Amino acid sequence: MTKVDQLPQRLLLGPGPSEVHPRVLRALATPVLGHLDPAFLALMDQVQADLREVFGTTNLVTLPLSGTGTAGMEAAIVNLVEPGDRVVVGIAGAFGERMAEIAGRCGAEVVRVETPWGRPVDPDDLRRAAAGGADVIALVHAETSTGVLQPLEPVAEVAREAGALLLVDCVTSLGGIPVDVDRIGIDIAYSASQKCLGAPPGLAPITVSPRALERIERRTRPVPSWYLDLRLLTGYWREGGSRRYHHTAPISSVYALAEALVLLKEEGLEARWERQERLGRALQAGLEAMGLELFAAEGHRLPMLTTVRVPEGVDDAAIRRGLLEVYGIEIAGGLGAVAGQIWRIGLMGAACRPRAVLSVLAALDDLLAAAGFRFERGAGVAAAAAAMAGSAPAAAPGGVRSSAR
Ligand SMILES: *Cc1c(COP(=O)(O)O)cnc(C)c1O
């Protein structure tokens, strides 16, 4: 019989769920309140205010949906899109593909704008696609399947020119890099609790601009999902006014998210972004110093999710199994088109710390050497440690600078 209290503890360095801070775990053990208890409603207000800050928005409709990131994706699309709408979807990986799939199921005329995996979508390609008319332009900010960052400003410009609403997946970016919903002009953005926010999976923060709300008000047909209907949901989540029951809020999950947001505020958004950046670049420097090749195009690499090619002749699954079974470290393999070809190493939530960077590099050093991969032993850890300290790697014995390859 498997029992929860016998489960192992891992170092979670995959694409989510991320490691959860002990304070967030303790919040989960707080006694459950009723979902209309004034004390819980006050906490809800706080969570909404904190989410606005992280999203960089004053949007009134900013709330944690009950469900994972995909529920956020589905809510964004199912509320905005009506049958026959022209939806231009930028597809740079598995999650862009999922958006196109959901938009298609909503009866949209989906215009796919694709790019080779490992690169961001070209805004000029989106512009050409939107020239034929576009109601919504949708794409992913941080594509977790490829480790690529999508610059949003040029895309927002395309959306403005086309008079289209801009829908952005911020599942992996929120809390890890600036999202700036209002400054950029994003109309609807969603995320997930278990990535950079560092809470357990189960909630999908979403924010909706007044322009997007207007579009939803003007719908000719009701939103086909009752559970994810934002107009119904705001009857419960609307601040101040009388709160109406729609569905039972997952109370304990809201506690956890609230505490994760407090941790983020205590550290400061800027400091959090800086930490993500510094440690992400250190991990990348370490992997390159081991002679490994990063997958995402240079200049477009995410700090919180690093993709690296599985070296020729090395067994992808065997290395991941070794990491998990010998070292208790979880990383992920490739999704879809790059399955078996890349590893994905996340530094999200409580796992974004120097110890995690050095642990995964040291463990890879051991396992890759045992697998017969030839590289300079120890170079990865040294390069990452140097990068974290903000200095160049120390000279190798004999005065020769240790080199990556
Ligand atoms: C993880 C992820 C999702 C899906 O979130 P779930 O919580 O797994 O439903 C969507 N988009 C991106 C970019 C993601 O990384």
Side-chain angles (χ1 to χ4, degrees):
M1 186 180 74
T2 302
K3 288 171 67 196
V4 170
D5 68 0
Q6 291 166 352
L7 293 176
Q9 220 186 337
R10 311 277 199 210
L11 177 55
L12 295 182
L13 301 182
S18 60
E19 202 156 299
V20 177
H21 192 283
R23 267 174 56 188
V24 176
L25 290 176
R26 281 198 292 276
L28 280 168
T30 307
V32 173
L33 288 171
H35 63 280
L36 292 170
D37 188 308
F40 181 70
L41 297 181
L43 185 73
M44 225 162 87
D45 289 350
Q46 185 62 53
V47 167
Q48 290 181 266
D50 292 347
L51 284 176
R52 283 187 198 104
E53 198 139 316
V54 187
F55 271 120
T57 187
T58 57
N59 288 339
L60 219 52
V61 178
T62 302
L63 53 92
L65 288 170
S66 310
T68 64
T70 307
M73 185 186 289
E74 196 142 290
I77 296 171
V78 86
N79 279 274
L80 279 195
V81 174
E82 288 198 77
D85 282 358
R86 213 156 181 269
V87 180
V88 174
V89 186
I91 304 174
F95 293 103
E97 192 65 61
R98 187 176 293 183
M99 289 174 123
E101 163 78 19
I102 296 175
R105 289 184 183 209
C106 290
E109 180 198 333
V110 177
V111 184
R112 300 166 56 92
V113 176
E114 296 185 60
T115 187
W117 284 39
R119 299 204 53 80
V121 177
D122 184 339
D124 287 330
D125 290 345
L126 288 169
R127 184 171 280 112
R128 275 187 286 278
D135 296 292
V136 176
I137 295 178
L139 83 184
V140 177
H141 189 200
E143 183 46 85
T144 325
S145 59
T146 62
V148 169
L149 173 66
Q150 175 73 48
L152 292 178
E153 269 105 340
V155 177
E157 200 180 303
V158 173
R160 275 192 296 275
E161 288 166 13
L165 293 176
L166 180 58
L167 189 165
V168 181
D169 175 313
C170 298
V171 171
T172 288
S173 55
L174 192 74
I177 52 175
V179 167
D180 282 333
V181 163
D182 288 359
R183 191 180 62 73
I184 289 170
I186 301 170
D187 289 295
I188 193 159
Y190 57 86
S191 187
S193 49
Q194 81 276 18
K195 308 232 177 174
C196 287
L197 295 175
L203 289 175
I206 188 166
T207 187
V208 190
S209 76
R211 221 160 66 102
L213 286 177
E214 246 169 62
R215 175 78 59 94
I216 295 169
E217 290 293 331
R218 286 205 318 269
R219 287 182 66 98
T220 55
R221 292 162 239 236
V223 173
S225 167
W226 189 89
Y227 194 71
L228 297 174
D229 184 326
L230 284 165
R231 284 168 73 187
L232 299 178
L233 281 166
T234 49
Y236 174 64
W237 283 97
R238 183 185 45 222
E239 271 164 89
S242 60
R243 313 258 193 175
R244 282 191 310 276
Y245 165 72
H246 176 259
H247 68 270
T248 309
I251 309 293
S252 309
S253 300
V254 175
Y255 293 164
L257 178 62
E259 188 62 16
L261 289 165
V262 169
L263 281 168
L264 180 46
K265 275 194 296 186
E266 285 175 2
E267 179 174 7
L269 264 179
E270 307 269 336
R272 171 71 60 91
W273 295 332
E274 189 278 326
R275 175 159 63 94
Q276 289 277 173
E277 179 70 24
R278 184 164 40 87
L279 298 194
R281 298 312 166 209
L283 173 63
Q284 289 161 10
L287 293 167
E288 286 195 301
M290 292 172 71
L292 296 168
E293 194 188 337
L294 299 180
F295 176 70
E298 192 164 5
H300 299 285
R301 290 173 187 153
L302 292 171
M304 74 287 278
L305 194 280
T306 295
T307 47
V308 56
R309 286 184 192 278
V310 176
E312 200 64 39
V314 169
D315 181 349
D316 157 41
I319 298 290
R320 282 188 288 118
R321 201 174 331 112
L323 283 171
L324 195 69
E325 289 174 2
V326 181
Y327 293 100
I329 298 175
E330 177 184 276
I331 69 166
L335 266 185
V338 290
Q341 296 171 32
I342 65 170
W343 289 313
R344 296 183 295 150
I345 308 176
L347 291 175
M348 304 183 193
C352 181
R353 59 189 197 275
R355 177 149 58 115
V357 174
L358 298 186
S359 299
V360 70
L361 287 170
L364 279 173
D365 188 289
D366 173 33
L367 295 167
L368 284 172
F373 178 60
R374 290 174 54 98
F375 64 104
E376 189 187 339
R377 299 289 309 266
V381 165
M388 286 189 283
S391 63
V400 185
R401 275 282 296 268
S402 61
S403 89
R405 294 153 212 248

